[in-house]
Amino acid sequence: ANNLTIKSALDAGMMKEVNISSPEVDGITWTVNGIIADRRGIAVLYTIQNNTDQKMRLFGLSLKKTPEDKYHLSGYSGFSTSNAQEVGSPGTTRMYEQIVWDKYQDEIPEELNITLSLFPDALGQVFNNKDIKEMDVKIPLEADNNYFEGELVDLKDSLSIGGQKIIMDQVYIGPTGIYMRQTFGRENTMRIFSLLSPKLVLGKGDHQEELMWASGSNIYHNDNMRPDDPIKLEVEGISALDQSEVELVINTETQQILKAPDNYLTISKRTADEEKGIILLDLLIPKKVEELHEATGFGIDDNFVDSA
């Protein structure tokens, strides 16, 4: 119910019912019940049947054209859910998972090998390869179906926020979602880190519906029951800094911050309790910033220069 893409695909009859099961492995079988796929991603509905008394932990899904392939077709697992709070517990667990392909697929494979990997929950995060149980199924994709194709829209359009240019150059609309690609203008005076509260609005007037951000980089839910309705992008703002303010300079000998974007970053007093060579930083998030949007992130670049 909380995934409009899958719910609407089911309502529209787009979900291909397959119900193909793996051979049983140590009392566990898994069944791929249904799929939808397009040139950017795939959504899989599946069931784990655990006939043991031991809880299993989900390690993930692997997608390949053939079992012998070295390369995975999946870029990253986008978002998944389950109707059971205890995934992999003894009994039946029903789940869905949406996965983004590693790249835009010029040709969708005619069939797909999907491997589910589990390991005993009692092992926690410490386990060996021999502890992992793998179950394989081979799924026909029937790439000739029109709804697998989706639509690639070349916008060549842009918007300006705070004088900074954001170029929305390409949109892919398919049954697994709406995928937007953005670049930032080279002439921008600010470094943009993210868009604040971006959303797509589907339809007009009283029939408007918000298509919420789903996962990854600019991926939104799609209402497959309304394929011809217009779509509008709305953005509240940007998280950005002037190019001259993105530098952070710390004197590690005196433990002083010499340069930073603002005064909210300080050397933590807890640094005194740490081993030599470790410096802790405290970040104060003003209430007005916290209220502006739901999450405020902060990160230091992996690359740094040692002035010494």
Side-chain angles (χ1 to χ4, degrees):
N2 63 350
N3 187 310
L4 178 65
T5 298
I6 292 181
K7 182 180 181 299
S8 62
L10 283 164
D11 291 341
M14 289 182 172
M15 185 71 69
K16 175 178 171 56
E17 191 173 342
V18 289
N19 293 325
I20 298 176
S21 299
S22 70
E24 184 174 307
V25 177
D26 297 334
I28 300 170
T29 58
W30 84 295
T31 302
V32 175
N33 304 108
I35 56 167
I36 48 172
D38 53 33
R39 294 184 181 274
R40 287 298 310 271
I42 183 170
V44 185
L45 302 183
Y46 62 95
T47 304
I48 301 172
Q49 184 64 42
N50 184 355
N51 295 323
T52 73
D53 58 1
Q54 183 179 36
K55 183 184 175 185
M56 303 297 294
R57 187 179 292 245
L58 185 64
F59 190 61
L61 296 182
S62 165
L63 311 179
K64 295 181 179 181
K65 289 183 180 179
T66 67
E68 295 77 24
D69 276 359
K70 293 182 179 178
Y71 300 106
H72 297 263
L73 288 170
S74 50
Y76 61 89
S77 177
F79 26 103
S80 63
T81 192
S82 164
N83 70 342
Q85 291 189 343
E86 297 292 327
V87 176
S89 293
T92 303
T93 304
R94 294 180 177 86
M95 296 187 67
Y96 70 74
E97 193 148 354
Q98 275 187 254
I99 300 170
V100 180
W101 296 125
D102 59 342
K103 59 183 178 182
Y104 179 86
Q105 299 292 316
D106 292 320
E107 291 186 2
I108 300 173
E110 292 184 4
E111 61 182 21
L112 187 66
N113 286 267
I114 311 180
T115 302
L116 174 74
S117 301
L118 302 162
F119 63 92
D121 184 65
L123 298 174
Q125 294 294 344
V126 181
F127 56 90
N128 299 314
N129 286 339
K130 64 180 179 61
D131 299 319
I132 299 176
K133 302 183 190 299
E134 294 186 345
M135 285 157 281
D136 304 293
V137 293
K138 184 180 290 186
I139 303 296
L141 288 186
E142 294 185 11
D144 56 333
N145 281 346
N146 289 333
Y147 68 81
F148 280 93
E149 294 298 323
E151 181 183 5
L152 194 61
V153 182
D154 201 359
L155 281 181
K156 291 188 172 63
D157 204 353
S158 64
L159 60 147
S160 179
I161 301 177
Q164 309 305 303
K165 191 175 182 181
I166 301 164
I167 304 163
M168 311 304 296
D169 53 1
Q170 199 177 82
V171 178
Y172 176 79
I173 303 172
T176 68
I178 299 173
Y179 302 77
M180 304 190 72
R181 192 176 73 184
Q182 68 189 28
T183 54
F184 302 129
R186 292 184 178 180
E187 68 279 12
N188 286 351
T189 59
M190 303 184 80
R191 179 173 169 185
I192 301 173
F193 294 94
S194 63
L195 304 182
L196 299 182
S197 302
K199 62 183 178 183
L200 296 181
V201 180
L202 178 73
K204 293 181 178 179
D206 296 335
H207 300 287
Q208 288 192 359
E209 174 184 26
E210 284 189 15
L211 301 174
M212 300 306 294
W213 177 83
S215 177
S217 177
N218 288 339
I219 303 174
Y220 296 83
H221 288 299
N222 188 16
D223 190 339
N224 290 296
M225 293 291 285
R226 301 169 65 179
D228 300 322
D229 283 16
I231 300 173
K232 178 174 61 176
L233 171 68
E234 293 184 356
V235 181
E236 284 190 17
I238 55 175
S239 173
L241 280 175
D242 285 331
Q243 297 285 5
S244 61
E245 293 183 353
V246 298
E247 216 174 34
L248 173 64
V249 182
I250 300 176
N251 186 327
T252 56
E253 299 294 327
T254 62
Q255 296 189 359
Q256 290 177 298
I257 296 178
L258 305 181
K259 185 179 180 182
D262 50 43
N263 297 321
Y264 297 133
L265 198 65
T266 56
I267 302 291
S268 175
K269 294 178 180 179
R270 292 176 296 141
T271 298
D273 301 326
E274 290 292 330
E275 300 175 25
K276 185 179 179 182
I278 293 179
I279 293 178
L280 301 182
L281 300 174
D282 286 336
L283 176 67
L284 174 69
I285 302 176
K287 188 177 181 182
K288 61 180 180 180
V289 175
E290 188 71 31
E291 292 174 347
L292 182 63
H293 46 96
E294 293 179 5
T296 302
F298 172 79
I300 299 177
D301 202 307
D302 291 337
N303 300 304
F304 64 92
V305 176
D306 188 345
S307 63

